[in-house]
Amino acid sequence: MQLFASTYSSFVLAVLATASPALASPAQHVFDIHHAHNSTTTTTTMTTTTTPLFSPDTCPIDTISCTRTDIDPCCSPQNGLLVLALQWDTRWGPSNAFTVHGLWPDTCEGKQLPNQGCDPQRSYTNISGIIQTSDPLLHADMTTYWPSNKGDNDWFWTHEWVKHGTCVSTLHPRCYGSEGYVPRQEVADYFRKILELREKYDLFKALAKNGVVPTEPEAGRRPKNTYSLKQFKQAIKNEWGVEPNVRCIGRRLQEVFLWFKVRGPDNYYLVEPYGRDSCGAISYQRKSTAAV
């Protein structure tokens, strides 16, 4: 990213190649495993200095992320390729909905950002409390659609904010400009946008509309009642015009990744996947939980 003049010196991009973390075990969401396609990790740090307030009027209209390097990172995400990870766990969340793992910014080359996030000054703790205070309805929705499979929502949400939310450059406090900034309001804005995307791109409905519905549970690691990877990907492409990446543990469906770029600061649109699939035959089993 080209450095701006002193009036826009809010962000500093440092790039260090390090080894990518190992893939997570099936039950652990502490690791984000969407980067099986790329073993390179890019270190990005956004630091805060005293600068004039940002004005959205200075942004070019309808800028698309990853197409320019001379634009203020408040106008377009600096890490402009993002993956929405939606998971299917038969023990958690509504029976008629995928739940959220996270929204993960990548570099425009599809490289992973650092595990420690991009802005130590905003590595907030108690994310559950911050959201409950600022937006109780959002907190309730997150409890439904973003549950921790460890039973600790605050830890899960805090991890996602620190590692990924701090890397969304358009949510930096400076980007709120003359409208004024309420401390930590970017936290709720980050999670609210993700739930909006989950609702807009409702995987359960899209799959069902195209004949892919959960099957009865089967014991064992190699269930026989399965869909092909082609069926699964085509059902989603029929709905939105692009394929996802699909990940499995053995044959059991684990997660679906939808990839995005961004028009302007926050208008997300789907793009072709940058990752790899890890499924052959897919066991998409009915949940044991209730519907909403």
Side-chain angles (χ1 to χ4, degrees):
M1 173 66 69
Q2 177 182 330
L3 294 181
F4 297 100
S6 59
T7 56
Y8 289 105
S9 59
S10 309
F11 304 92
V12 177
L13 177 63
V15 180
L16 297 172
T18 61
S20 176
L23 295 184
S25 60
Q28 302 233 349
H29 53 223
V30 58
F31 301 114
D32 298 328
I33 60 175
H34 65 294
H35 295 288
H37 64 290
N38 195 311
S39 61
T40 303
T41 302
T42 298
T43 301
T44 302
T45 304
M46 290 181 284
T47 58
T48 305
T49 59
T50 301
T51 60
L53 290 176
F54 167 76
S55 173
D57 294 338
T58 65
C59 292
I61 297 174
D62 291 335
T63 298
I64 295 177
S65 61
C66 297
T67 60
R68 296 178 59 172
T69 59
D70 61 342
I71 192 169
D72 193 303
C74 288
C75 297
S76 181
Q78 188 174 33
N79 303 300
L81 178 66
L82 301 96
V83 58
L84 177 65
L86 299 171
Q87 52 193 4
W88 185 261
D89 189 321
T90 58
R91 305 163 298 169
W92 298 96
S95 63
N96 58 346
F98 281 70
T99 57
V100 177
H101 187 164
L103 179 70
W104 305 329
D106 281 354
T107 70
C108 293
E109 297 73 33
K111 295 177 181 179
Q112 186 176 6
L113 296 171
N115 287 334
Q116 68 271 23
C118 299
D119 190 347
Q121 296 182 30
R122 295 188 297 126
S123 293
Y124 308 136
T125 58
N126 188 29
I127 292 299
S128 178
I130 292 172
I131 296 170
Q132 176 67 60
T133 299
S134 63
D135 190 340
L137 291 178
L138 174 61
H139 188 276
D141 283 345
M142 289 179 63
T143 301
T144 299
Y145 294 109
W146 202 326
S148 165
N149 63 15
K150 299 291 187 183
D152 187 347
N153 288 346
D154 181 59
W155 181 91
F156 187 20
W157 301 342
T158 297
H159 166 78
E160 291 297 308
W161 165 256
V162 171
K163 183 175 180 180
H164 302 293
T166 61
C167 295
V168 180
S169 67
T170 53
L171 291 178
H172 191 277
R174 169 180 164 270
C175 301
Y176 288 82
S178 58
E179 295 179 2
Y181 169 70
V182 177
R184 303 185 179 185
Q185 75 178 85
E186 72 272 28
V187 172
D189 289 345
Y190 172 70
F191 288 104
R192 187 180 297 110
K193 171 58 71 174
I194 296 170
L195 288 189
E196 289 174 0
L197 292 173
R198 188 215 67 84
E199 184 176 9
K200 180 177 181 178
Y201 298 100
D202 189 326
L203 285 176
F204 188 89
K205 289 182 179 178
L207 290 167
K209 181 179 176 180
N210 290 277
V212 178
V213 296
T215 60
E216 292 301 311
E218 295 180 79
R221 293 184 57 83
R222 295 181 64 81
K224 297 179 180 179
N225 193 358
T226 61
Y227 295 96
S228 69
L229 177 62
K230 182 178 180 180
Q231 283 178 292
F232 218 86
K233 291 169 72 81
Q234 188 62 48
I236 294 172
K237 186 173 183 178
N238 288 347
E239 192 69 12
W240 297 311
V242 298
E243 291 186 345
N245 285 131
V246 188
R247 299 190 61 83
C248 296
I249 300 297
R251 290 183 174 179
R252 297 183 186 277
L253 177 64
Q254 182 190 24
E255 291 186 307
V256 176
F257 296 158
L258 299 175
W259 294 81
F260 293 86
K261 287 187 177 179
V262 188
R263 290 187 181 90
D266 60 0
N267 184 8
Y268 288 71
Y269 70 97
L270 287 169
V271 296
E272 294 293 338
Y274 279 65
R276 291 201 307 259
D277 305 304
S278 66
C279 304
I282 299 174
S283 174
Y284 176 36
Q285 297 190 9
R286 178 174 54 81
K287 289 188 181 186
S288 58
T289 56
V292 290

